[in-house]
Amino acid sequence: MKLFVTFALAAAAFVHAQDAEPPVNIGYVVFPSFQALDVFGPLDPLNMLSMTVPLNLSIIAGSLDPVSTRPVSMATPSFFGESIVPSHTFADPPKNLDVLIVPGGLGTRAPIEQLQPAIDFIKTQYPDLKYLISVCTGATLLARAGVLDGRRATSNKAAWAFVKSTGPNVEWVPQARWVVDGNIWTTSGVAAGIDGIFAWIGHVWGEDTSLRIANLIEYERHTDPSWDPFAIVWNTTGTASAPAASAKLLPVIEI
């Protein structure tokens, strides 16, 4: 308890010292077959942060019906998945969003007509955002919205060919845990979103705040954005003669 109180006081003091108007209103885009950790991984540090600084969360989807992680574009031997309940729709979004976070997952490979409402929403919202953040193949929705044109960005290395095909005018970075270009933060595959959100928290509220949250949830961070062994596993840089053995042995489910 003493540790948490110390964390709370330090976080509050830093926010007042650093920025009179830090971001408050955070929106999370979801769609069928989103990747669970792309959403819940970054959300957990933000949940902890919200205990000490004012934050509002909106979950935004095509409708108010629960949205499941279960794959709809491929056959699986299981009936397995989790659902999240949206608070808003693309047609009736929250007001004054400061931050929009976009996950990836198999759902990013849905037919374009199914994804177009989310893509249009990102394009419409971006000019008024303080930050736009993507996790994994969520970057493909940003690319198709046109907001990454002429910018540096990264995404899941196991799905690198698909990612590049969605944004021919994007400077895709083949080896990076996350990439920052202006107010757009893009992160690599799935778990990289957690490191990316910790880096973003450090950028906005200070590294001490980010470190305290990581210590509280006992998460060992990667703090170097260029750390990316999966670029070697999936040979996205084109420097290896073949993908690493571990990539050959695993079934390829691109997300």
Side-chain angles (χ1 to χ4, degrees), residues 42-131:
L43 274 182
D44 204 64
L46 292 174
N47 285 341
M48 297 295 292
L49 180 65
S50 72
M51 296 178 186
T52 60
V53 302
L55 291 178
N56 301 317
L57 175 65
S58 301
I59 305 297
I60 313 164
S63 76
L64 293 178
D65 295 332
V67 183
S68 176
T69 62
R70 285 197 301 114
V72 295
S73 61
M74 62 179 290
T76 70
S78 308
F79 186 86
F80 197 98
E82 311 80 42
S83 294
I84 192 168
V85 180
S87 59
H88 295 79
T89 66
F90 299 134
D92 187 20
K95 306 300 182 185
N96 303 319
L97 280 176
D98 296 314
V99 183
L100 189 64
I101 308 177
V102 183
L106 288 172
T108 60
R109 295 174 177 271
I112 190 65
E113 59 269 18
Q114 296 179 23
L115 291 171
Q116 199 62 53
I119 293 169
D120 291 343
F121 179 74
I122 294 166
K123 183 176 182 177
T124 300
Q125 291 291 317
Y126 174 65
D128 296 321
L129 297 174
K130 290 185 177 181
Y131 296 96

Side-chain angles (χ1 to χ4, degrees), residues 152-166:
R152 300 171 70 252
T154 197
S155 186
N156 189 305
K157 306 313 186 298
W160 199 240
F162 163 64
V163 167
K164 291 177 65 178
S165 74
T166 66

Side-chain angles (χ1 to χ4, degrees), residues 3 6-8 10-12 14-15 18 41-42 44-46 48-50 52-53 178 185 192-224:
L3 174 62
T6 301
F7 159 63
F14 186 89
V15 168
Q18 164 118 336
D44 204 64
L46 292 174
M48 297 295 292
L49 180 65
S50 72
T52 60
V53 302
W178 69 87
W185 293 56
I194 303 175
D195 288 325
I197 207 71
F198 270 116
W200 178 74
I201 290 172
H203 170 75
V204 177
W205 286 276
E207 182 58 28
D208 285 350
T209 298
S210 189
L211 178 60
R212 289 172 192 273
I213 296 174
N215 287 340
L216 282 169
I217 68 172
E218 298 193 10
Y219 179 73
E220 185 176 4
R221 295 171 56 194
H222 295 289
T223 57
D224 179 358

Side-chain angles (χ1 to χ4, degrees), residues 14 104 192 199 226 234 237:
F14 186 89
S226 66
W234 298 105
T237 61

